[in-house]
Amino acid sequence: MSDPVRIVEMGPRDGLQNEKTLVGVEARIAFIEALVGAGLHTVEVGAFVSPKAIPQMASSDAVLRGVSHVKGAEFHVLVPNEKGYDAARAAGAKVVSVFAAASEGFSRANINCTVAESIERFKPVLARARDDGVKVRGYISCVLGCPFDGEIKPKAVADLAGTLWDLGCYEISLGDTIGVGTPAKAKEMLRVVAANVPAAKLAMHFHDTYGQALANLYAGLEEGVRVIDAAAGGLGGCPYAPGATGNVATEDVVYMFEGMGVRTGVDIDKLLAATNAMSVVLGKPPVSRVASALNAKKKRAAS
């Protein structure tokens, strides 16, 4: 339980793409630089998708090029197909992510195809990435529940994870996209998936809609998973889950694990500064409980 955890920072991509405010390239670059400066050395910085579909991710090529000078960091970008892969590679991408859903309903609503069709779309991406020496991370959405299909069987998640693993993904991120999971269900799902993919190659991507994300992460830690996706300030949400909050807040994750003696390598004061700067850009306070508490504490100290 005391082994370090690695946090994959999702704020600049999965966070901002679900915010109503469009954030410009310079502000996104500054955000990423600040996050890396806080000790978050793996950051997803953009998505090479249609700007008509997701205008928040427009100019991801300029963002990726704009952070290329940052040393000691690994930058990820999301690609839905070969066209996205071509654009990502042209911008200098060295790590790309592909995504599929554990439920047919979500797959059809989100990317307008079946789960099997989604896999066929990114098979050429994985083949080309292998030839190009590019790492590929795989995402699975709705691993603990779907807004359309309801409960998701752990075997469905495990089968899809095994497919992604066999196709060459170096890591599989398991997403509770609408944040409905609870610790017992999270543990069961992770145990079943770990039969197909080593626990060391799994990541937990838990949203906090029902306030269960930290408890679920703790349960996953007990199962041997040591990679966590989180978003500074709890940015984001899910358009298919009414009232859904974003990813679990990076500040909350760091506070909990460091308090347990589990090292994250993150400077929480620098992280808070990065979160506060983006909150100003978005014109709203962070969702993170820890960020809110620390900001209130600083305000009291200054008065």
Side-chain angles (χ1 to χ4, degrees):
M1 287 290 286
S2 61
D3 289 346
V5 297
R6 175 167 60 88
I7 297 175
V8 179
E9 174 57 47
M10 307 299 298
R13 197 281 297 176
D14 197 30
L16 292 183
Q17 82 169 29
N18 284 302
E19 295 288 342
K20 293 179 181 178
T21 301
L22 300 183
V23 179
V25 170
E26 288 186 7
R28 285 154 66 186
I29 290 172
F31 185 36
I32 295 161
E33 290 173 337
L35 292 167
V36 175
L40 291 154
H41 299 297
T42 308
V43 185
E44 192 162 72
V45 302
F48 286 81
V49 295
S50 167
K52 291 182 179 178
I54 306 179
Q56 295 91 334
M57 288 294 100
S59 303
S60 284
D61 56 340
V63 172
L64 183 57
R65 290 189 178 99
V67 296
S68 63
H69 67 282
V70 179
K71 304 302 181 185
E74 182 178 89
F75 298 121
H76 297 194
V77 292
L78 199 68
V79 298
N81 48 37
E82 281 193 276
K83 182 179 178 180
Y85 179 77
D86 287 338
R89 285 291 288 154
K94 296 177 181 177
V95 185
V96 301
S97 300
V98 297
F99 55 93
S103 74
E104 293 292 346
F106 192 85
S107 185
R108 290 181 183 279
N110 193 38
I111 53 177
N112 196 33
C113 66
T114 66
V115 174
E117 287 168 344
S118 72
I119 293 169
E120 291 304 315
R121 283 184 187 178
F122 56 66
K123 273 184 179 178
V125 171
L126 282 150
R128 291 180 57 190
R130 185 166 53 248
D131 292 341
D132 294 341
V134 172
K135 293 166 63 179
V136 182
R137 193 175 198 241
Y139 286 107
I140 302 179
S141 302
C142 297
V143 299
L144 291 171
C146 171
F148 306 102
D149 298 349
E151 187 173 343
I152 300 298
K153 302 281 188 193
K155 185 179 184 302
V157 182
D159 289 347
L160 183 54
T163 296
L164 291 172
W165 178 250
D166 291 342
L167 286 172
C169 290
Y170 77 94
E171 188 170 87
I172 312 297
S173 176
L174 303 168
D176 183 11
T177 310
I178 57 173
V180 296
T182 54
K185 289 182 178 180
K187 288 174 82 77
E188 180 190 8
M189 181 272 294
L190 289 168
R191 284 174 184 168
V192 175
V193 175
N196 289 353
V197 180
K201 299 299 183 180
L202 297 176
M204 298 178 287
H205 182 114
F206 295 159
H207 287 230
D208 203 32
T209 310
Y210 287 80
Q212 302 295 297
L214 289 176
N216 293 342
L217 290 175
Y218 186 90
L221 198 72
E222 292 183 318
E223 293 301 313
V225 182
R226 290 293 181 276
V227 184
I228 297 165
D229 293 357
L235 289 170
C238 176
Y240 303 107
T245 55
N247 291 281
V248 64
T250 310
E251 296 85 354
D252 298 358
V253 172
V254 171
Y255 183 84
M256 182 179 82
F257 283 119
E258 291 287 349
M260 293 167 52
V262 177
R263 298 189 306 280
T264 65
V266 177
D267 183 315
I268 199 161
D269 290 327
K270 291 180 178 179
L271 171 59
L272 180 64
T275 291
N276 286 339
M278 181 49 65
S279 294
V280 171
V281 174
L282 295 172
K284 67 175 194 176
V287 174
S288 163
R289 297 289 185 88
V290 169
S292 298
L294 291 177
N295 282 332
K297 185 177 179 180
K298 289 176 182 291
K299 188 176 180 180
R300 283 196 304 270
S303 61

